[in-house]
Each structure stands twice: as C-alpha cells, then as structure tokens.
Amino acid sequence: MAATTRLIVDIHTHGYLPRYASMLRSRAVVPKIVSTKVRDGAVEERLHILNDEPSGGRPVGRQYWDRDEKLKFMDKHGIDVSIVSTANPWLDFLSATQAEDLANELNDDLEQFCSTGPSLANHQNVKRLYGFGLLPLVPEITTQSLLQSVEQISKLPHLKGLIMGTKGVGNGLDDEALDPVWAAIEKAGLVIFLHPHYGVDSNAWGGKDNGHVLQLALGFPFETTTAVTRMILSGVFDRYPRLRLLLAHSGGTLPQLSSRLASCIDHDPAVASRLNHDARYYLGKLYFDAVAYGPEELGFVSDVIGRAERYEGNKNRESSSPKSNIIKQAAAQLRSSGSKRMFFGTDHPFFPPLSSTEEKWQSVVDNLEAIDAAEGWSEEDKAGVRGGNALALLNIL
Ligand code: 5CU
C-alpha cells in the first residue's frame, strides 16, 4: 500500500477565522460572541450560535480560530491533513452586501491560513491544511455575485470546494435560482460540503430540557436529509450529474430512509415520473463523511451506497423496472465499493471532552475506532476512508 494512502485526512473540521470571530464579537444578537466575567475578575468569551445555548453561552477560545491550535489538535490525534471549513451559521444572517464582502474576504483568509501553514514532513508538495470556502448564500444576493464567489474559490489553490447550509438564497436547495450556481460549481469541479445548522425545533413533541442532544443528534441530520432530498426531488442531480456533494454526518438519515423515499416517490402522482432514476440511484452519486461514531452505522451506510448501482436504470427510457438491472454482486463487494465514497471527519472544535483531563478527544477516538471495526471493510477500504478517498476526491497529491 502506498505510504500516501495511509495518511489520515479530516474532511469535516471547522473554525471561525479571526475576521469571522471579530464580526461575531460585534453583534448583540445570536450568532454572537460575548465576554463574561468569571472567577477572580478574569474574562472569558462565550459563543452563542444556536438559539437555545446554555445561559451565558458556551466557552469559546483559540481552538476556534488559531491555526496552531488546529495543528496541535491534529498532531494529538495523528491527523495528517485537515480540510477546514467555516462553522455554522456561515453568512446566513447577514445582508447581501455584508455577505458578499465577507465571503470574498474569508475565502482569501482561508487560502492564506492554508497556504502559509506547514507541509507534510514526507510530502513537501502536500500542505497540512486545505479548505472549503464560502458563497454569500443569502436572500437578495445576485446570481452574478454567487458566480463570482465560485470563480474566486476555484482560483484559490488550497480551497477544494465550499461549505453550504440548507437555506440556499432563502428558498432551500431545490430553488431553480440556484441552477446557474450548480452549473458553475460542477464546471469548476469543486466539492460542495452540505452541512446543517437549524435542526428541528428543540421543543418538538416534548418540553424537557435535554441540552443540545436532540438538536445535534437528530435535528441536524434530519435537516441535511431534507435538504439533499429536496435536491434529488427537484432533479438537481439529473440536470448536473457531475455535481460532487459531500453530506455531513454520514448523510443524516438518508441512507436509512432511501427505499422509503423511492416508494413514496413511486406512489405520488406529483413526482412519480419526474426523475430519471429510482431515488436510491442518487445515493451512489453522493459522498458521505464518516462522522457517525459507530462501526455498524458505517457498514450500513456503505452497504446502501454500494447498492445504489443496482438502480442505474433510466426510468424514462426503459420500460422495465430499474431493479431488472440488479447486478448480482456479493454483499462484501457492495460494501467495499460503498466505502470508497466515505471520509473520516472529527467535527473539531465541536464535541470537546467535558473533562479537560482527557488526553485524546473521545469523539475523534470513536470515529477512528468505528472505521477500524467496520465489518466487511478490507484494510485498503479502511485506509481509504481514513484518508486515501479524500486525497483522491480533492485531488491532493
Ligand atoms: O455543538 C454544536 O453546536 C455544533 C455545531 O453548531 N455545528 C457543528 O458542526 N457541530 C456541532
């Protein structure tokens, strides 16, 4: 196995670059960073990004914006390369002019953050940091401005794609207004990292306080599921078949629900004949991070992705069911082929240990151990998920 395929690459790792953190400090409403007096008159900064943060907010510090802290975290966990993206809620809450200016500046900042950082010891041509840039996706932005940002990102050598939330320009990701943007991203070969922020109302179907557990464990993944399903239903992947979309948190619940989705489509007169393919086919065109924390979940996701090629049939051109194309492949082969679309991630700087005495972060250890223990993945498959797949997808090396 080539040494490079043994590299560990973190495709899901965030930060608020200094310029973004300054903007959060200047705000009086969420999202914001506030200074709070703690013991002995010391001052600590607290972050409010979700609507129901603990009173006073959560501690925030250099791990969110300092490159040395990111590198220290990487070294502690044996991570060779990180693909850094701005954390939620990106530019969603700004006016069009503010978002346009900040996207432009933050993309340049991120390029600088990556390009002036260290290279890998054994691969001087490979940096330890790359990035996903930002588009000014807010209501009233012009298409021209969005296209300019796509062009800017495509010209910055250390930016390999862009991170995007689920709102689009206010009407979701199934909005035809985004068609020129999908076309430009596809043409530029950039990867879109689709990430949630809004989740589901934390008071949905109950009233007990559960911290952020329901929001993060269930609401976030369900938001991603809804957003990508809207893209599938509106035919985005039929119109832009080479679009490369990476889904946060292993695709949320899409893998679990894809056969139900296919059946609901087939039984709904409004959409039954809209798509070129069975809904399950599109899962084989998507990419999934491996931020699922358990080996069974990783194995399952790879099964579902691997199975997608069974649904290759074109619904509109063939009279027979797509299932007539079933390729009789061994389950292990499908699982292995599905793993090629999966990528290790940490979600750093989120999910730190609750106790500061822990050496390694449990959230990271869990995700690495889940890859090690995923049943049916060969050593080569595991090395791919740890890093080789990301290097190939992002054309690094
Ligand atoms: O803990 C959280 O709030 C988050 C968040 O906001 N975004 C994220 O990516 N992970 C955890």
Side-chain angles (χ1 to χ4, degrees):
M1 191 187 305
T4 47
T5 63
R6 289 199 294 269
L7 295 174
I8 299 189
V9 180
D10 182 357
I11 208 161
H12 186 159
T13 183
H14 301 296
Y16 294 127
L17 291 179
R19 189 188 301 275
Y20 190 95
S22 300
M23 179 267 294
L24 290 183
R25 286 188 190 98
S26 72
R27 289 173 55 84
V29 291
V30 175
K32 62 181 178 179
I33 291 177
V34 297
S35 292
T36 313
K37 279 226 169 75
V38 287
R39 307 151 310 274
D40 308 328
V43 173
E44 258 181 26
E45 289 196 311
R46 298 291 173 96
L47 177 68
H48 298 249
I49 39 173
L50 304 179
N51 277 330
D52 51 358
E53 296 288 352
S55 75
R58 64 179 107 170
V60 65
R62 292 175 53 211
Q63 72 275 24
Y64 278 80
W65 44 78
D66 187 324
R67 185 172 66 192
D68 287 343
E69 289 295 317
K70 182 68 84 188
L71 290 164
K72 263 197 241 162
F73 166 83
M74 291 165 64
D75 290 341
K76 180 185 270 196
H77 297 92
I79 296 166
D80 298 287
V81 176
S82 286
I83 320 298
V84 180
S85 48
T86 298
N88 48 297
W90 314 285
L91 309 171
D92 287 15
F93 49 92
L94 298 175
S95 71
T97 324
Q98 289 168 325
E100 187 175 23
D101 291 346
L102 202 55
N104 189 32
E105 291 165 344
L106 286 169
N107 288 334
D108 282 339
D109 290 352
L110 187 55
E111 171 64 23
Q112 176 87 354
F113 179 92
C114 301
S115 64
T116 59
S119 300
L120 281 182
N122 300 330
H123 303 276
Q124 280 306 308
N125 59 336
V126 181
K127 286 286 179 189
R128 295 200 65 195
L129 299 166
Y130 292 87
F132 287 134
L134 282 173
L135 301 184
L137 282 162
V138 294
E140 286 169 34
I141 197 76
T142 62
T143 302
Q144 196 200 359
S145 171
L146 292 169
L147 298 182
Q148 271 167 6
S149 286
V150 174
E151 193 185 354
Q152 178 199 19
I153 293 169
S154 70
K155 287 186 173 154
L156 294 171
H158 297 85
L159 300 197
K160 299 295 178 181
L162 51 106
I163 187 165
M164 183 181 283
T166 55
K167 284 199 158 175
V169 291
N171 295 315
L173 300 185
D174 51 1
D175 180 357
E176 300 81 29
L178 295 174
D179 273 11
V181 180
W182 304 134
I185 293 172
E186 183 187 57
K187 185 156 179 240
L190 295 170
V191 169
I192 302 169
F193 180 23
L194 178 60
H195 194 288
H197 171 68
Y198 299 94
V200 173
D201 180 355
S202 54
N203 293 319
W205 307 299
K208 290 266 190 301
D209 176 14
N210 296 296
H212 285 147
V213 167
L214 291 175
Q215 177 82 336
L216 295 176
L218 310 184
F220 265 35
F222 200 66
E223 179 187 349
T224 307
T225 308
T226 308
V228 65
T229 302
R230 282 186 172 277
M231 291 176 77
I232 293 172
L233 289 173
S234 65
V236 169
F237 299 104
D238 288 333
R239 294 197 295 287
Y240 307 100
R242 290 178 296 106
L243 202 60
R244 301 193 300 165
L245 189 76
L246 166 68
L247 300 176
H249 314 121
S250 300
T253 54
L254 185 64
Q256 175 67 40
L257 297 176
S258 60
S259 290
R260 183 173 173 83
L261 172 64
S263 178
C264 290
I265 293 172
D266 286 346
H267 291 90
D268 193 313
V271 274
S273 58
R274 196 191 286 169
L275 300 181
N276 286 352
H277 301 276
D278 182 287
R280 288 163 284 198
Y281 162 85
Y282 301 98
L283 274 79
K285 301 289 155 201
L286 299 169
Y287 300 92
F288 299 74
D289 76 21
V291 183
Y293 307 96
E296 291 80 9
E297 287 79 2
L298 295 185
F300 171 75
V301 173
S302 63
D303 283 345
V304 175
I305 305 170
R307 176 203 66 184
E309 64 190 77
R310 294 178 174 184
Y311 300 96
E312 197 89 54
N314 185 316
K315 274 187 153 182
N316 294 335
R317 282 205 305 267
E318 291 178 12
S319 53
S320 58
S321 143
K323 283 187 189 146
S324 66
N325 276 358
I326 286 182
I327 302 158
K328 293 259 181 265
Q329 272 177 313
Q333 214 178 326
L334 294 178
R335 190 168 264 222
S336 170
S337 98
S339 77
K340 309 269 179 286
R341 292 182 164 267
M342 298 178 69
F343 312 85
F344 167 69
T346 64
D347 220 344
H348 177 258
F350 297 107
F351 304 109
L354 289 181
S355 144
S356 57
T357 55
E358 284 174 51
E359 191 29 34
K360 289 194 175 180
W361 290 29
Q362 194 59 44
S363 51
V364 180
V365 172
D366 285 347
N367 277 317
L368 282 171
E369 287 184 353
I371 296 170
D372 281 344
E375 259 181 54
W377 288 2
S378 67
E379 282 312 309
E380 196 188 329
D381 294 335
K382 292 175 186 176
V385 176
R386 280 189 214 104
N389 297 346
L391 297 174
L393 176 74
L394 303 173
N395 206 13
I396 297 172
L397 274 176

